[in-house]
Amino acid sequence: MLVTLEGLDGSGKTSCIGALKASPSIPAATYTREPTHTWYGEAVRRSLNDDDADPLAELFLYTADHAAHLADVIRPALDRGELVVSDRYSDSRYAYQGASLADRFETPVEFVRELHRPWTRPPDVTVYLDIDPETAAERSGATNKFERVSHLERVRENYERLLAAEPDRFVRVDATEPEETVVERVVEAVAQLTAGE
Ligand code: TYD
């Protein structure tokens, strides 16, 4: 089973992952993330820190990182029958690159989805940490170009589209609640979803 965590920067994904790893009610799992810690992920981070990076080129960097992540980590772990939990996954591309390509394509989210469709492995469940862009930018410190409020507004709209299109795949958690509450809800949700794994 593949579980992914998604949300705006500052939504608290990292604390949730820490709590999932530590919780006795979650079965043993392979924990992973995108961008990865490989050289593909390093290329992504270079682009992230370059305000002039071309958004289309950047989409392909993130997508290359995902392809390698799928081949090297995700598919092998799933093939071994493991539970896999990924901090960000394809929906981050659909939402974030869908936003950064808004003035390049008429339907940017669909464009990015189509690019993935023939070869990706969709998550079984996605926990979406829902937070307003102002709080998200404040919490994350808005350290990179994607963390600015105006951009996060577009990213959030894209996440909402993804949730509307596949309501059964997503579990929405209100991430404006205090951190302990958010973490507790995420652990509870994943424990329920993975019971019997
Ligand atoms: P993030 O998970 O915040 O990494 P870190 O904890 O190392 O800061 O991801 C970094 C940024 O990359 C974040 O602003 C979201 C963005 N991002 C995309 O734009 N597209 C993607 O496909 C992914 C995985 C991340």
Side-chain angles (χ1 to χ4, degrees):
M1 181 177 199
L2 172 60
V3 177
T4 62
L5 252 75
E6 292 283 352
L8 300 185
D9 305 81
S11 57
K13 286 182 293 85
T14 309
S15 316
C16 292
I17 294 281
L20 289 171
K21 283 183 187 167
S23 170
S25 44
I26 309 292
T30 292
Y31 287 90
T32 184
R33 54 161 300 147
E34 292 186 8
T36 66
H37 291 298
T38 65
W39 67 265
Y40 300 101
E42 285 312 312
V44 163
R45 287 198 183 83
R46 274 181 73 172
S47 186
L48 196 57
N49 292 321
D50 176 359
D51 278 355
D52 298 324
D54 177 70
L56 187 57
E58 196 161 64
L59 164 69
F60 292 126
L61 290 177
Y62 276 111
T63 308
D65 188 38
H66 178 62
H69 189 212
L70 256 185
D72 299 339
V73 178
I74 304 273
R75 288 196 196 278
L78 291 174
D79 288 347
R80 290 192 298 269
E82 289 170 23
L83 169 66
V84 180
V85 179
S86 187
D87 179 357
R88 295 197 184 282
Y89 194 71
S90 309
D91 292 306
S92 283
R93 234 113 43 240
Y94 309 155
Y96 280 80
Q97 276 59 57
S100 56
L101 291 168
D103 48 11
R104 299 275 280 269
F105 298 96
E106 232 166 77
T107 51
V109 175
E110 285 64 35
F111 169 75
V112 181
R113 291 201 78 153
E114 281 310 316
L115 180 68
H116 284 67
R117 206 183 301 279
W119 54 274
T120 195
R121 194 312 190 165
D124 298 298
V125 180
T126 300
V127 177
Y128 174 59
L129 297 181
D130 187 14
I131 192 169
D132 57 284
E134 289 76 18
T135 313
E138 208 174 289
R139 286 196 191 162
S140 67
T143 50
N144 75 51
K145 60 189 172 183
F146 291 146
E147 296 175 356
R148 293 173 200 140
V149 175
S150 56
H151 188 76
L152 290 180
E153 272 163 6
R154 267 190 270 167
V155 175
R156 192 189 198 198
E157 282 168 23
N158 288 342
Y159 272 126
E160 285 301 336
R161 274 193 205 134
L162 297 167
L163 267 90
E166 284 179 89
D168 296 343
R169 172 162 66 89
F170 285 94
V171 177
R172 185 197 296 269
V173 173
D174 179 358
T176 60
E177 296 277 343
E179 191 180 289
E180 315 82 72
T181 315
V182 177
V183 162
E184 207 175 291
R185 297 222 169 112
V186 169
V187 171
E188 258 169 39
V190 177
Q192 258 181 31
L193 293 161
T194 55
E197 269 284 304

